[in-house]
Amino acid sequence: MTASIKPLVAGNWKMNGLKTDLGIAAEIARGHDGALRTKVDLAICPPATLLYPMTAALIGSRIATGGQDCSLRDSGAFTGEVSAAMLADAGAQYAIVGHSERRTLHGERDATVKAKAQAAQAALLVPIVCVGETKDEREAGKALAVVKKQLRGSVPEGSTGATLVVAYEPVWAIGTGLTPTTADVAEMHAAIRADLGRILGKAAAASVRLLYGGSVKPSNAAELMGVSDVDGALVGGASLKAEDFLGIARACG
Ligand SMILES: O=C(CO)COP(=O)(O)O
């Protein structure tokens, strides 16, 4: 944790969730009400189809919603794309960009991720820019260099803690039950903070929330959230169960 930063726990529902699952968000809102909400910010990034009804269901709570991706373009003949302005129109406050599943399955490169982050910022959304190395890259001792390159290519210049969140998600830890050691997380998050300092200036970099993501669950959250320069979590599978997501949130509080 960074003392001056209020942690953020964001749930990435990925391609899961129908209208019948909106009750999960309502249950999370009930659990966040009270002391917890003074200690930790929460966001849920459902599939685009649920953004509007989920935001509506969360009115009166302090839980934000976000998209899982956005187009780098404003509007026009781009079948299947969803613009950042559309996400904002549906009530989103965040947009995940550069998730490893987009980078791997959709061939998104750093320049695309950066353009998407800029599009999000232009629509007054806060992009959650994801970075992280593969298993091969870690085993080859290249994790720090890979993430540094992704940051340089993906983070819009001029961003501040109010307009940017960065998520470190080692690809090999996503959905696998594996997590890096706390020493590895500490090393990576310190390196990310230092690199952001070079890109954005030290003062801005000091206020950017750095989330850890990859197999976060209630049982390991306290340990991971206790690492310096970890300012919250980006949660996949465990965000689909209200009690698990709230357990992770409580570990930050
Ligand atoms: O990809 C993730 C969040 O964006 C992490 O997913 P899991 O928490 O399921 O490992």
Side-chain angles (χ1 to χ4, degrees), residues 225-239:
M225 297 302 114
V227 175
S228 60
D229 281 313
V230 174
D231 310 313
L234 183 56
V235 184
S239 70

Side-chain angles (χ1 to χ4, degrees), residues 12 14 96 99 101 169 173-176 213-216 234-238:
N12 175 7
K14 308 192 180 185
I96 298 169
H99 191 280
E101 288 149 19
E169 297 204 306
I174 295 175
T176 58
S215 297
V216 181
L234 183 56
V235 184

Side-chain angles (χ1 to χ4, degrees), residues 2-237:
T2 310
S4 55
I5 296 180
K6 188 176 181 188
L8 168 69
V9 176
N12 175 7
W13 279 21
K14 308 192 180 185
M15 200 170 74
N16 298 290
L18 301 172
K19 279 185 295 183
T20 47
D21 298 307
L22 290 172
I24 299 170
E27 199 182 332
I28 292 169
R30 282 192 293 277
H32 187 231
D33 218 11
L36 192 57
R37 76 171 175 184
T38 64
K39 295 179 184 160
V40 54
D41 289 333
L42 296 185
I44 306 173
C45 302
T49 48
L50 288 186
L51 209 37
Y52 182 75
M54 185 179 286
T55 304
L58 289 172
I59 287 175
S61 81
R62 291 267 198 85
I63 301 182
T65 58
Q68 297 176 9
D69 181 37
C70 68
S71 177
L72 52 83
R73 302 199 166 85
D74 290 339
S75 64
F78 303 104
T79 302
E81 292 282 279
V82 176
S83 74
M86 290 169 182
L87 298 178
D89 189 47
Q93 294 177 38
Y94 293 93
I96 298 169
V97 294
H99 191 280
S100 74
E101 288 149 19
R102 303 287 321 173
R103 290 179 185 264
T104 309
L105 302 173
H106 300 270
E108 291 188 7
R109 307 184 71 97
D110 291 336
T112 302
V113 176
K114 182 174 180 176
K116 290 184 171 193
Q118 286 168 324
Q121 289 175 338
L124 302 183
L125 300 176
V126 176
I128 301 175
V129 175
C130 301
V131 294
E133 82 285 357
T134 62
K135 186 165 179 282
D136 286 351
E137 288 163 346
R138 173 146 299 264
E139 285 172 359
K142 293 185 186 152
L144 290 169
V146 165
V147 168
K148 183 175 187 169
K149 184 163 173 286
Q150 289 175 335
L151 281 174
R152 293 221 156 246
S154 311
V155 167
E157 293 83 7
S159 301
T160 67
T163 62
L164 174 74
V165 173
V166 170
Y168 168 56
E169 297 204 306
V171 178
W172 51 273
I174 295 175
T176 58
L178 302 173
T179 51
T181 64
T182 50
D184 284 343
V185 175
E187 180 185 41
M188 183 61 83
H189 278 237
I192 291 173
R193 182 88 63 201
D195 283 338
L196 286 177
R198 286 184 272 275
I199 301 167
L200 307 175
K202 260 196 150 179
S207 65
V208 173
R209 294 198 271 203
L210 307 185
L211 312 186
Y212 167 78
S215 297
V216 181
K217 19 182 204 242
S219 58
N220 62 18
E223 192 183 19
L224 288 162
M225 297 302 114
V227 175
S228 60
D229 281 313
V230 174
D231 310 313
L234 183 56
V235 184

